[in-house]
Amino acid sequence: MGVKAQRQGLTMNASSLFQLDCRADSSSAIAIRTTQLSKTYGDTIAVDNLSIDVNPGELVALLGPNGAGKTTTLKLLLGLLQPTSGHAHVFGLDCARDSLSVKGAVGYVPDEPAFYDFLTGEETLEFIAQVRGLPRARAMVELAETIAALQFEHPLTQLVGGYSLGMKKKLAILASILHRPRLLLLDEPTNGLDPQSAATVKAVLRAMSESGVAVLLSTHLLDMADRLCDRGVVLGKGRLLFDGRLQELREQSASGGSSTLEDAFLGMIRLHSEEQ
Amino acid sequence: MDVACAFLRVTWLRVVRTSLGKSRHPGGSVQLTATGLVPAALTLMGLVVAFHIGTASQSSPDARQWSIFGAFLMAIGGVAQAEMPPSGSRTAQASMLSHPLLLALPVTPWVRPLLALASQPSQILFPIAILVGTANRSVCSWLSAAGLGLLAVVAGAYAAGISTTVARATRWRWLVRTWPTLMLLLGICGASAMLLAAYLGPARGPAKLLTLAERALSSCSVAEIAMGWLVPFPVLIVLGAAVLRVTVRVGYDRIAMAPQLRTYPDAGSLMRIADIEKLMSSRDFARPALVVAAQIFTFALSFVGAYAAEPKLRALGQDRLGTLHALCMTVIALYSCGVAWLITRRAARSVARDLAAAPLLSTLPIEPRELLEGKASAMRFLALPFLAAMLPWIIALPASLGQEMLWRLGLVIAAFWLVAQGGVSVTFLRQSRVRQQSVSWLNVEMLLLTTPLSGIVLANSLPAGLLGLVVLGAISTEAKRASQRAMRWVDDAGDGAVRDTEVWRAMVALGVFSVFGGIGSSVLLLLAPERTRFAALAVVLASQILLGAQTVSRKGLDPLFPRGARGWLRTAAAPAAGMISVAAAAVYLLLLRRLHIEMPQTPSAAGVTRVAWLAVVLAGAPIAEELFFRGWLQPALPRELPSRWQPWTFALTAGLFASIHGPIGFVPVLVLGLIAGALRMWTGGVVAGIVVHMMHNVFAFALF
């Protein structure tokens, strides 16, 4: 039972909700492993020799300014893009080649979620459950508490075409945890959410992480990253600038007189562009 | 008379109910939908046909024919109902009462539940209608029959509503799910019973009822039956329009209302992608113009059917048979055009929905081809109810003509199965290459599927039609294969993924137009002129117009009209170039005469046929062919060819152009193609090419 989740007023039973089968063999023990991963679009380098490891149960923030390659990295991990060079593995599966198996194990929340406009929210979840081969009724019952906590302003029985961006985002988050993924990839998960829903989402993420799910979320909200995640990965123009505890990032620049994460982050980005 | 009236009224009330029940469509407006009307219309036709078991004398071989097709129709109606959504819907009961349409009606509150129930999908009505119609032989006026029919409607609605509620409240969920199947079985049983009755003769059991029906119908004139068929359609349309106005005024929110119109089946049942496709399509697809046109057409068709039922038709002299044949061919051809349009439309909407939902779909563990498969299977049955609606009047035709039309209809149904199969693949394929968000149903690739169709529809014999089916099957299969290879969620310009296959590309470039050219030039040769002048006119003009319309979707290609004064000045030189082309053709012709080679003769034609022939040769063909070859193929080819071939695209185009014109005319047509191709490059438009082409054709026509 997550303590922080309780603080958020949630009665989510994380251990029963997101119980995982942890009998994975050693090769697939690591949730994400990228080795020298690169992706170029024409002349633009989106991701440059990125090598990171993420273990199950870790909650990692992917930080960086606009155009740093955060979304591209997430898409490479899901197999939606083919890497120009290098490899990305999720639980030992090659993301580019075993895309289907990867998608089966991973939950993904896109930056701008889109659904079938002519299905209702419920039907969308049922459709996803159907595609993922889950018993529909069970999936919905298990999500009921999360649905209640997310406070949809319109009932889920209305067509998705009428939803606001925030509603779609919430629906996308529901959709991504429907099948109890072992890895969650989230692209700006709290974008467009009201503070209350954002808090709920954070609680859900924390609960999942505590039950052994690896979570990688891209965000530009340093505040949120600071409070939610222990570990941060900072990208700048596709290159890995920092990988470690966010506390360390703050301490690194503390010598410069400031100790907020924001200053540390901005300093690092400035330094990087000066190097270039 | 009374039984006939009871039958007709009851069934028509059912039609009214079905169409109104389906009319709150999420297209932002209220419409009558074809899908709602078709099963009802089929059931009606089945009943009318079943009546003819009685009208034809028992010893006549016609009686068997009638009964078989009555049974067939009802089975089709059952299938159509099964294809429609299950009647059980989670929110239907509750939502119906609060529906704005219902609230807008100026009725006392206690009537509303009645109306709400009456608008429920209730397949139970069909057997009730039969029961009422057959049992009530003492009904003497059509007024009381109509009252009884209304009673049957309400009772049926209640029964259906109650049975659904009971099924939902208890554990009999299987009943809700299997309802359409049960009704289909019931329909088949009913049809079998009628068949049996027809064979047993008047003395035995249920056949007595049929004898009664025979007696009743014999006093009913053709005009009366025709009125029974005709009147409800315009009434429905006017009523629908009025209801639409009212609901729009009180406020109709498609997003809020749509889910209640057609709902996802209850939890526990398996929802296949095909089902989801059908669900979304029913909420999304709404074309008032198409629906009204389809209804007017069905209505006209029904009239033909009713008229055809008139024995006088059978007694027609041989001299009139030709006209009748031409009329039938025209109807089939036009109907086919409509269904092709429907399928291509639906495929485009379907792909557009998938593209919009790509951020979701691409993250799910599902291959695009699985989606494709589901969509194809949702489309397969789309044309069946439409085409089956043609059966009654085909049966009413004189035997020889009826048999011919029957195999034609069989061919057309098979062809539409293939078109529906390949339609989504083709749209997907096109989209994967064009990669734009808006999906157009007008695309050249789709012509590859729809053009062999014209060949099949107008085939001069069964083997020719079967050959056409084989061609269409090959194209459909290749489209599917190509799309399965090409479709993937990776949509990355640099990934080097195959986006279509070479075979498919070649098919698109070559196949489309050769089929068209074949139809344009040889349809009158294939078929005896006096029997087919209407059909030939309709098909040739339709194909030419369709082809012209295809140029709408030529985004990104060179413009069709010359740009600036210079381009138009150059275009003015076209007649000179045309003279060169004509001179070349004349020299070639003289050469042929010297070598004593005879050109094939065009058929001697007179009257309407001659006008059609002239229109095709002098106006239709030059415009259509130039639009395709110089307008589309010439600028499109460089994108498909290696760069060293690119300067020669005009020659390649001319070669392909000549190759569809047959071996003897190859040389002059090649010259014409080269000249038109060069003019296309020089003037920047296709107008000059059209002028040259017309001059060439006038010369050719004047000479033969």
Side-chain angles (χ1 to χ4, degrees), chain B residues 11-65:
Chain B
T11 320
W12 271 116
L13 281 167
R14 186 190 141 77
V15 172
V16 172
R17 186 205 51 74
T18 314
S19 51
L20 283 184
K22 291 279 149 199
S23 69
R24 294 171 300 277
H25 207 277
S29 57
V30 176
Q31 291 131 17
L32 306 172
T33 63
T35 42
L37 276 178
V38 165
L42 278 174
T43 315
L44 171 74
M45 285 171 188
L47 284 172
V48 170
V49 171
F51 257 108
H52 285 275
I53 307 170
T55 55
S57 99
Q58 291 293 327
S59 58
S60 151
D62 278 350
R64 291 180 186 186
Q65 212 181 356

Short mmCIF file of all heavy atoms in Angstrom, two decimals, chain B residues 11-65:
data_model
loop_
_atom_site.label_atom_id
_atom_site.label_comp_id
_atom_site.label_asym_id
_atom_site.label_seq_id
_atom_site.Cartn_x
_atom_site.Cartn_y
_atom_site.Cartn_z
N THR B 11 -46.87 -4.55 -43.07
CA THR B 11 -45.46 -4.52 -43.40
C THR B 11 -44.98 -3.09 -43.58
O THR B 11 -43.88 -2.74 -43.19
CB THR B 11 -45.19 -5.33 -44.68
OG1 THR B 11 -45.98 -6.50 -44.61
CG2 THR B 11 -43.75 -5.70 -44.77
N TRP B 12 -45.85 -2.25 -44.12
CA TRP B 12 -45.41 -0.88 -44.30
C TRP B 12 -45.29 -0.15 -42.99
O TRP B 12 -44.40 0.66 -42.81
CB TRP B 12 -46.33 -0.13 -45.26
CG TRP B 12 -45.82 -0.33 -46.63
CD1 TRP B 12 -46.44 -0.97 -47.65
CD2 TRP B 12 -44.54 0.05 -47.10
NE1 TRP B 12 -45.62 -1.02 -48.74
CE2 TRP B 12 -44.45 -0.40 -48.43
CE3 TRP B 12 -43.45 0.70 -46.55
CZ2 TRP B 12 -43.33 -0.20 -49.22
CZ3 TRP B 12 -42.33 0.90 -47.33
CH2 TRP B 12 -42.28 0.45 -48.64
N LEU B 13 -46.17 -0.48 -42.08
CA LEU B 13 -46.02 0.13 -40.76
C LEU B 13 -44.69 -0.29 -40.16
O LEU B 13 -44.02 0.48 -39.51
CB LEU B 13 -47.17 -0.30 -39.87
CG LEU B 13 -48.43 0.51 -40.16
CD1 LEU B 13 -49.63 -0.12 -39.50
CD2 LEU B 13 -48.25 1.95 -39.68
N ARG B 14 -44.34 -1.52 -40.44
CA ARG B 14 -43.05 -2.00 -39.95
C ARG B 14 -41.92 -1.19 -40.58
O ARG B 14 -40.96 -0.81 -39.93
CB ARG B 14 -42.88 -3.47 -40.29
CG ARG B 14 -41.64 -4.06 -39.70
CD ARG B 14 -41.38 -5.45 -40.24
NE ARG B 14 -39.95 -5.60 -40.44
CZ ARG B 14 -39.10 -5.81 -39.45
NH1 ARG B 14 -39.51 -5.90 -38.24
NH2 ARG B 14 -37.82 -5.92 -39.70
N VAL B 15 -42.06 -0.92 -41.87
CA VAL B 15 -41.05 -0.13 -42.57
C VAL B 15 -40.94 1.25 -41.92
O VAL B 15 -39.86 1.74 -41.63
CB VAL B 15 -41.39 0.00 -44.06
CG1 VAL B 15 -40.44 0.99 -44.73
CG2 VAL B 15 -41.31 -1.34 -44.74
N VAL B 16 -42.11 1.85 -41.68
CA VAL B 16 -42.12 3.18 -41.06
C VAL B 16 -41.40 3.12 -39.72
O VAL B 16 -40.54 3.93 -39.42
CB VAL B 16 -43.57 3.66 -40.86
CG1 VAL B 16 -43.59 4.94 -40.04
CG2 VAL B 16 -44.23 3.89 -42.21
N ARG B 17 -41.75 2.11 -38.95
CA ARG B 17 -41.16 2.01 -37.63
C ARG B 17 -39.65 1.80 -37.71
O ARG B 17 -38.89 2.47 -37.03
CB ARG B 17 -41.80 0.85 -36.87
CG ARG B 17 -41.34 0.77 -35.44
CD ARG B 17 -41.47 -0.62 -34.91
NE ARG B 17 -40.84 -1.60 -35.79
CZ ARG B 17 -39.55 -1.76 -35.92
NH1 ARG B 17 -38.74 -1.02 -35.22
NH2 ARG B 17 -39.07 -2.65 -36.75
N THR B 18 -39.25 0.91 -38.60
CA THR B 18 -37.82 0.62 -38.69
C THR B 18 -37.05 1.86 -39.08
O THR B 18 -36.04 2.20 -38.49
CB THR B 18 -37.57 -0.48 -39.74
OG1 THR B 18 -38.49 -1.51 -39.52
CG2 THR B 18 -36.17 -1.02 -39.61
N SER B 19 -37.57 2.56 -40.07
CA SER B 19 -36.81 3.70 -40.56
C SER B 19 -36.80 4.84 -39.55
O SER B 19 -35.80 5.51 -39.37
CB SER B 19 -37.38 4.19 -41.89
OG SER B 19 -38.75 4.37 -41.74
N LEU B 20 -37.91 5.01 -38.83
CA LEU B 20 -37.91 6.06 -37.82
C LEU B 20 -37.04 5.67 -36.65
O LEU B 20 -36.37 6.48 -36.06
CB LEU B 20 -39.33 6.35 -37.35
CG LEU B 20 -40.16 7.19 -38.33
CD1 LEU B 20 -41.50 7.49 -37.74
CD2 LEU B 20 -39.44 8.47 -38.71
N GLY B 21 -37.07 4.39 -36.34
CA GLY B 21 -36.23 3.90 -35.25
C GLY B 21 -34.77 4.15 -35.55
O GLY B 21 -33.97 4.38 -34.66
N LYS B 22 -34.42 4.11 -36.80
CA LYS B 22 -33.04 4.29 -37.20
C LYS B 22 -32.75 5.74 -37.57
O LYS B 22 -31.67 6.06 -38.02
CB LYS B 22 -32.74 3.42 -38.42
CG LYS B 22 -32.74 1.95 -38.12
CD LYS B 22 -31.43 1.52 -37.51
CE LYS B 22 -31.67 0.37 -36.58
NZ LYS B 22 -30.59 0.17 -35.63
N SER B 23 -33.77 6.58 -37.46
CA SER B 23 -33.60 7.88 -38.09
C SER B 23 -32.79 8.87 -37.27
O SER B 23 -32.29 9.83 -37.80
CB SER B 23 -34.97 8.48 -38.39
OG SER B 23 -35.59 8.82 -37.17
N ARG B 24 -32.65 8.62 -35.97
CA ARG B 24 -31.88 9.58 -35.18
C ARG B 24 -30.41 9.28 -35.35
O ARG B 24 -29.78 8.65 -34.52
CB ARG B 24 -32.31 9.50 -33.73
CG ARG B 24 -33.75 9.94 -33.54
CD ARG B 24 -34.22 9.65 -32.17
NE ARG B 24 -34.14 8.22 -31.87
CZ ARG B 24 -35.07 7.37 -32.23
NH1 ARG B 24 -36.12 7.77 -32.88
NH2 ARG B 24 -34.95 6.10 -31.93
N HIS B 25 -29.93 9.69 -36.44
CA HIS B 25 -28.58 9.33 -36.83
C HIS B 25 -27.60 10.38 -36.34
O HIS B 25 -27.92 11.56 -36.33
CB HIS B 25 -28.52 9.24 -38.36
CG HIS B 25 -27.47 8.31 -38.82
ND1 HIS B 25 -26.17 8.70 -38.93
CD2 HIS B 25 -27.51 7.01 -39.17
CE1 HIS B 25 -25.47 7.67 -39.34
NE2 HIS B 25 -26.24 6.63 -39.49
N PRO B 26 -26.40 9.95 -35.93
CA PRO B 26 -25.48 10.93 -35.36
C PRO B 26 -24.81 11.82 -36.40
O PRO B 26 -23.72 12.30 -36.17
CB PRO B 26 -24.45 10.05 -34.66
CG PRO B 26 -24.45 8.80 -35.44
CD PRO B 26 -25.86 8.60 -35.89
N GLY B 27 -25.39 12.00 -37.52
CA GLY B 27 -24.77 12.87 -38.50
C GLY B 27 -25.09 14.32 -38.23
O GLY B 27 -24.97 15.16 -39.11
N GLY B 28 -25.52 14.63 -37.06
CA GLY B 28 -25.88 16.01 -36.74
C GLY B 28 -27.29 16.29 -37.21
O GLY B 28 -27.82 17.36 -37.06
N SER B 29 -27.92 15.31 -37.81
CA SER B 29 -29.26 15.53 -38.31
C SER B 29 -30.01 14.22 -38.26
O SER B 29 -29.44 13.17 -38.04
CB SER B 29 -29.19 16.04 -39.74
OG SER B 29 -28.48 15.11 -40.52
N VAL B 30 -31.27 14.32 -38.49
CA VAL B 30 -32.08 13.11 -38.48
C VAL B 30 -32.33 12.68 -39.91
O VAL B 30 -32.74 13.47 -40.74
CB VAL B 30 -33.42 13.39 -37.78
CG1 VAL B 30 -34.31 12.18 -37.83
CG2 VAL B 30 -33.16 13.79 -36.35
N GLN B 31 -32.03 11.45 -40.21
CA GLN B 31 -32.24 11.00 -41.57
C GLN B 31 -32.85 9.61 -41.57
O GLN B 31 -32.79 8.89 -40.61
CB GLN B 31 -30.90 10.89 -42.31
CG GLN B 31 -30.28 12.21 -42.57
CD GLN B 31 -28.85 12.19 -42.15
OE1 GLN B 31 -28.28 11.12 -41.96
NE2 GLN B 31 -28.27 13.34 -42.02
N LEU B 32 -33.42 9.32 -42.70
CA LEU B 32 -33.84 7.95 -42.93
C LEU B 32 -32.63 7.24 -43.48
O LEU B 32 -31.97 7.72 -44.36
CB LEU B 32 -34.96 7.93 -43.96
CG LEU B 32 -36.13 8.83 -43.62
CD1 LEU B 32 -37.07 8.90 -44.78
CD2 LEU B 32 -36.82 8.33 -42.39
N THR B 33 -32.34 6.09 -42.94
CA THR B 33 -31.15 5.42 -43.44
C THR B 33 -31.54 4.19 -44.23
O THR B 33 -32.53 3.52 -43.94
CB THR B 33 -30.24 4.99 -42.29
OG1 THR B 33 -30.95 4.05 -41.50
CG2 THR B 33 -29.85 6.17 -41.44
N ALA B 34 -30.72 3.95 -45.22
CA ALA B 34 -30.98 2.81 -46.09
C ALA B 34 -30.88 1.52 -45.30
O ALA B 34 -31.67 0.60 -45.50
CB ALA B 34 -29.99 2.82 -47.23
N THR B 35 -29.93 1.46 -44.37
CA THR B 35 -29.74 0.21 -43.64
C THR B 35 -30.97 -0.17 -42.85
O THR B 35 -31.25 -1.33 -42.65
CB THR B 35 -28.54 0.31 -42.70
OG1 THR B 35 -28.59 1.58 -42.08
CG2 THR B 35 -27.24 0.11 -43.43
N GLY B 36 -31.69 0.83 -42.41
CA GLY B 36 -32.89 0.52 -41.66
C GLY B 36 -34.02 0.05 -42.55
O GLY B 36 -34.83 -0.78 -42.18
N LEU B 37 -34.04 0.63 -43.76
CA LEU B 37 -35.15 0.31 -44.65
C LEU B 37 -34.99 -1.02 -45.36
O LEU B 37 -35.95 -1.70 -45.65
CB LEU B 37 -35.27 1.41 -45.71
CG LEU B 37 -36.08 2.63 -45.30
CD1 LEU B 37 -36.06 3.65 -46.41
CD2 LEU B 37 -37.50 2.23 -44.97
N VAL B 38 -33.75 -1.35 -45.65
CA VAL B 38 -33.52 -2.49 -46.52
C VAL B 38 -34.09 -3.80 -45.99
O VAL B 38 -34.83 -4.47 -46.70
CB VAL B 38 -32.02 -2.60 -46.86
CG1 VAL B 38 -31.70 -3.96 -47.44
CG2 VAL B 38 -31.65 -1.51 -47.84
N PRO B 39 -33.78 -4.17 -44.73
CA PRO B 39 -34.35 -5.44 -44.27
C PRO B 39 -35.87 -5.43 -44.32
O PRO B 39 -36.50 -6.41 -44.71
CB PRO B 39 -33.86 -5.55 -42.83
CG PRO B 39 -32.72 -4.62 -42.72
CD PRO B 39 -32.98 -3.53 -43.70
N ALA B 40 -36.44 -4.27 -43.95
CA ALA B 40 -37.89 -4.18 -43.97
C ALA B 40 -38.42 -4.31 -45.39
O ALA B 40 -39.38 -5.04 -45.64
CB ALA B 40 -38.33 -2.86 -43.36
N ALA B 41 -37.75 -3.62 -46.31
CA ALA B 41 -38.18 -3.69 -47.71
C ALA B 41 -38.07 -5.11 -48.23
O ALA B 41 -38.94 -5.60 -48.96
CB ALA B 41 -37.35 -2.74 -48.55
N LEU B 42 -37.00 -5.77 -47.81
CA LEU B 42 -36.80 -7.15 -48.25
C LEU B 42 -37.90 -8.05 -47.72
O LEU B 42 -38.43 -8.89 -48.44
CB LEU B 42 -35.46 -7.66 -47.74
CG LEU B 42 -34.29 -7.25 -48.61
CD1 LEU B 42 -33.00 -7.68 -47.94
CD2 LEU B 42 -34.42 -7.91 -49.96
N THR B 43 -38.21 -7.85 -46.46
CA THR B 43 -39.26 -8.66 -45.87
C THR B 43 -40.56 -8.45 -46.63
O THR B 43 -41.27 -9.39 -46.94
CB THR B 43 -39.46 -8.26 -44.40
OG1 THR B 43 -38.17 -8.15 -43.81
CG2 THR B 43 -40.25 -9.29 -43.66
N LEU B 44 -40.81 -7.19 -46.95
CA LEU B 44 -42.01 -6.86 -47.70
C LEU B 44 -42.01 -7.58 -49.05
O LEU B 44 -42.99 -8.22 -49.44
CB LEU B 44 -42.09 -5.36 -47.94
CG LEU B 44 -43.19 -4.93 -48.91
CD1 LEU B 44 -44.54 -5.05 -48.25
CD2 LEU B 44 -42.95 -3.54 -49.41
N MET B 45 -40.88 -7.48 -49.71
CA MET B 45 -40.81 -8.11 -51.03
C MET B 45 -40.98 -9.61 -50.91
O MET B 45 -41.62 -10.25 -51.74
CB MET B 45 -39.47 -7.79 -51.68
CG MET B 45 -39.44 -6.36 -52.18
SD MET B 45 -37.80 -5.94 -52.70
CE MET B 45 -38.01 -4.20 -53.01
N GLY B 46 -40.38 -10.17 -49.85
CA GLY B 46 -40.55 -11.61 -49.61
C GLY B 46 -42.03 -11.95 -49.49
O GLY B 46 -42.51 -12.91 -50.08
N LEU B 47 -42.73 -11.12 -48.77
CA LEU B 47 -44.16 -11.37 -48.57
C LEU B 47 -44.92 -11.26 -49.88
O LEU B 47 -45.75 -12.09 -50.21
CB LEU B 47 -44.73 -10.36 -47.56
CG LEU B 47 -44.38 -10.65 -46.10
CD1 LEU B 47 -44.83 -9.50 -45.23
CD2 LEU B 47 -45.04 -11.94 -45.66
N VAL B 48 -44.59 -10.21 -50.63
CA VAL B 48 -45.29 -10.02 -51.90
C VAL B 48 -45.02 -11.19 -52.84
O VAL B 48 -45.93 -11.72 -53.48
CB VAL B 48 -44.84 -8.68 -52.54
CG1 VAL B 48 -45.35 -8.59 -53.97
CG2 VAL B 48 -45.35 -7.52 -51.73
N VAL B 49 -43.76 -11.60 -52.84
CA VAL B 49 -43.43 -12.74 -53.70
C VAL B 49 -44.17 -13.97 -53.23
O VAL B 49 -44.70 -14.75 -54.02
CB VAL B 49 -41.90 -12.96 -53.70
CG1 VAL B 49 -41.57 -14.26 -54.40
CG2 VAL B 49 -41.22 -11.81 -54.41
N ALA B 50 -44.21 -14.12 -51.90
CA ALA B 50 -44.92 -15.29 -51.37
C ALA B 50 -46.38 -15.29 -51.80
O ALA B 50 -46.96 -16.34 -52.04
CB ALA B 50 -44.82 -15.29 -49.85
N PHE B 51 -46.92 -14.10 -51.95
CA PHE B 51 -48.29 -14.00 -52.43
C PHE B 51 -48.47 -14.64 -53.80
O PHE B 51 -49.50 -15.20 -54.12
CB PHE B 51 -48.70 -12.53 -52.54
CG PHE B 51 -49.56 -12.11 -51.41
CD1 PHE B 51 -49.06 -11.26 -50.45
CD2 PHE B 51 -50.85 -12.57 -51.28
CE1 PHE B 51 -49.85 -10.88 -49.39
CE2 PHE B 51 -51.63 -12.19 -50.23
CZ PHE B 51 -51.13 -11.34 -49.28
N HIS B 52 -47.44 -14.49 -54.57
CA HIS B 52 -47.56 -15.00 -55.93
C HIS B 52 -47.60 -16.51 -55.98
O HIS B 52 -47.97 -17.08 -56.99
CB HIS B 52 -46.40 -14.47 -56.77
CG HIS B 52 -46.60 -13.04 -57.11
ND1 HIS B 52 -47.35 -12.63 -58.18
CD2 HIS B 52 -46.17 -11.91 -56.51
CE1 HIS B 52 -47.37 -11.32 -58.23
NE2 HIS B 52 -46.66 -10.85 -57.22
N ILE B 53 -47.23 -17.15 -54.88
CA ILE B 53 -47.43 -18.59 -54.82
C ILE B 53 -48.91 -18.85 -55.01
O ILE B 53 -49.33 -19.79 -55.66
CB ILE B 53 -46.99 -19.16 -53.46
CG1 ILE B 53 -45.56 -18.72 -53.15
CG2 ILE B 53 -47.09 -20.67 -53.45
CD1 ILE B 53 -45.13 -19.05 -51.74
N GLY B 54 -49.66 -17.97 -54.38
CA GLY B 54 -51.09 -18.13 -54.49
C GLY B 54 -51.65 -17.69 -55.83
O GLY B 54 -52.51 -18.34 -56.39
N THR B 55 -51.14 -16.59 -56.35
CA THR B 55 -51.72 -16.05 -57.57
C THR B 55 -51.45 -16.95 -58.77
O THR B 55 -52.32 -17.16 -59.59
CB THR B 55 -51.17 -14.66 -57.87
OG1 THR B 55 -49.76 -14.74 -57.89
CG2 THR B 55 -51.63 -13.64 -56.86
N ALA B 56 -50.23 -17.45 -58.86
CA ALA B 56 -49.94 -18.34 -59.98
C ALA B 56 -50.67 -19.66 -59.72
O ALA B 56 -50.82 -20.06 -58.58
CB ALA B 56 -48.45 -18.58 -60.08
N SER B 57 -51.10 -20.29 -60.77
CA SER B 57 -51.85 -21.52 -60.55
C SER B 57 -50.90 -22.60 -60.03
O SER B 57 -49.72 -22.62 -60.35
CB SER B 57 -52.52 -21.96 -61.85
OG SER B 57 -51.76 -22.97 -62.47
N GLN B 58 -51.43 -23.49 -59.22
CA GLN B 58 -50.57 -24.44 -58.52
C GLN B 58 -49.80 -25.34 -59.47
O GLN B 58 -48.72 -25.81 -59.17
CB GLN B 58 -51.45 -25.30 -57.60
CG GLN B 58 -52.02 -24.52 -56.43
CD GLN B 58 -50.94 -24.09 -55.47
OE1 GLN B 58 -49.96 -24.78 -55.29
NE2 GLN B 58 -51.11 -22.94 -54.87
N SER B 59 -50.40 -25.60 -60.63
CA SER B 59 -49.74 -26.53 -61.54
C SER B 59 -48.63 -25.86 -62.34
O SER B 59 -47.77 -26.52 -62.88
CB SER B 59 -50.77 -27.12 -62.51
OG SER B 59 -51.39 -26.05 -63.20
N SER B 60 -48.67 -24.52 -62.34
CA SER B 60 -47.69 -23.80 -63.16
C SER B 60 -46.28 -23.93 -62.58
O SER B 60 -46.09 -23.90 -61.37
CB SER B 60 -48.09 -22.33 -63.24
OG SER B 60 -46.94 -21.55 -63.40
N PRO B 61 -45.29 -24.08 -63.44
CA PRO B 61 -43.91 -24.11 -62.95
C PRO B 61 -43.53 -22.78 -62.30
O PRO B 61 -42.62 -22.72 -61.49
CB PRO B 61 -43.09 -24.38 -64.21
CG PRO B 61 -43.98 -24.01 -65.36
CD PRO B 61 -45.37 -24.25 -64.90
N ASP B 62 -44.26 -21.73 -62.67
CA ASP B 62 -43.98 -20.42 -62.09
C ASP B 62 -44.16 -20.43 -60.58
O ASP B 62 -43.45 -19.75 -59.85
CB ASP B 62 -44.91 -19.36 -62.68
CG ASP B 62 -44.38 -18.88 -64.01
OD1 ASP B 62 -43.24 -19.25 -64.33
OD2 ASP B 62 -45.12 -18.16 -64.72
N ALA B 63 -45.14 -21.23 -60.13
CA ALA B 63 -45.43 -21.25 -58.70
C ALA B 63 -44.19 -21.62 -57.90
O ALA B 63 -43.87 -21.02 -56.89
CB ALA B 63 -46.57 -22.20 -58.42
N ARG B 64 -43.48 -22.61 -58.40
CA ARG B 64 -42.27 -23.05 -57.71
C ARG B 64 -41.24 -21.93 -57.69
O ARG B 64 -40.64 -21.64 -56.67
CB ARG B 64 -41.67 -24.26 -58.42
CG ARG B 64 -42.53 -25.48 -58.27
CD ARG B 64 -41.89 -26.62 -58.98
NE ARG B 64 -42.79 -27.77 -58.98
CZ ARG B 64 -42.41 -28.95 -59.44
NH1 ARG B 64 -41.21 -29.11 -59.93
NH2 ARG B 64 -43.26 -29.95 -59.41
N GLN B 65 -41.08 -21.31 -58.87
CA GLN B 65 -40.11 -20.23 -58.99
C GLN B 65 -40.42 -19.14 -57.96
O GLN B 65 -39.54 -18.70 -57.21
CB GLN B 65 -40.22 -19.65 -60.39
CG GLN B 65 -38.91 -19.13 -60.92
CD GLN B 65 -39.08 -18.55 -62.31
OE1 GLN B 65 -40.16 -18.61 -62.90
NE2 GLN B 65 -38.02 -17.99 -62.83
#
